[in-house]
Amino acid sequence: MSVWPDPVERVSALLREAGVESTVEEFAEGTPTAEAAARAAGCTTGQIVKSLVFAGDGEFALALVPGDMRADRSRIATECGWSKARMATAEEVHAVTGFEPGGVAPFPRGEVAHVLMEPTFMRYEVVWVGAGTHSHMAMLSPLDLERLSEARAASISDPG
């Protein structure tokens, strides 16, 4: 029987099956912001991966953006070939990813058509991603993140 909540177990199982060197941790204080997540994990805010869901032209995209940057909707729309992009609603986020907003993991991928990853993550040895709930995160290499999420590198952020 799993010791993790179901969403966290889905993430953990994918990491195990892929043979990825990673750590999944629960942070009792929660990780409601990138700054709080960085404090909890003991890393820089740039190492926190915000997994943001955007909608446009009848599709959804997952944008993987550093905690110290802001997603740029126009850049995301351009990368996806959309006329414009908007933040997905909480209901849409859950429907297309299987995760609640604030706990979205970048994998398993869900029903998103595009996964875009800010290339600045590659400067770090490890990054921290949401692992299914507001209080769980996983640490892994940016290369493993890119591979497991099936992301395409794209400049989709502006400095925060």
Side-chain angles (χ1 to χ4, degrees):
M1 184 169 183
S2 171
V3 297
W4 297 117
D6 179 65
V8 180
E9 184 52 38
R10 289 196 319 261
V11 173
S12 298
L14 190 145
L15 290 166
R16 281 192 306 273
E17 290 164 13
V20 169
E21 187 175 321
S22 63
T23 302
V24 176
E25 290 189 37
E26 181 174 14
F27 297 92
E29 65 274 17
T31 55
T33 65
E35 293 79 12
R39 275 194 307 277
C43 67
T44 68
T45 310
Q47 288 174 273
I48 299 298
V49 179
K50 296 188 291 190
S51 298
L52 306 172
V53 181
F54 288 86
D57 295 355
E59 294 181 326
F60 293 92
L62 184 62
L64 306 179
V65 178
D68 61 353
M69 299 180 99
R70 297 180 103 117
D72 184 311
R73 286 189 315 218
S74 63
R75 289 181 183 183
I76 291 166
T78 298
E79 287 291 334
C80 294
W82 298 342
S83 55
K84 65 180 181 176
R86 65 169 174 79
M87 289 291 297
T89 66
E91 294 79 18
E92 289 171 329
V93 169
H94 187 262
V96 300
T97 68
F99 300 107
E100 296 295 330
V104 174
F107 45 79
R109 178 178 177 145
E111 299 298 318
V112 295
H114 309 272
V115 181
L116 307 171
M117 180 173 152
E118 182 63 46
T120 57
F121 286 122
M122 294 302 175
R123 68 182 174 206
Y124 298 109
E125 188 174 322
V126 296
V127 294
W128 288 85
V129 299
T133 75
H134 297 273
S135 58
H136 291 84
M137 291 194 304
M139 178 184 69
L140 70 163
S141 78
L143 287 173
D144 285 330
L145 170 61
E146 183 178 48
R147 180 174 58 86
L148 292 177
S149 66
E150 303 175 35
R152 174 167 49 90
S155 294
I156 53 172
S157 301
D158 282 326

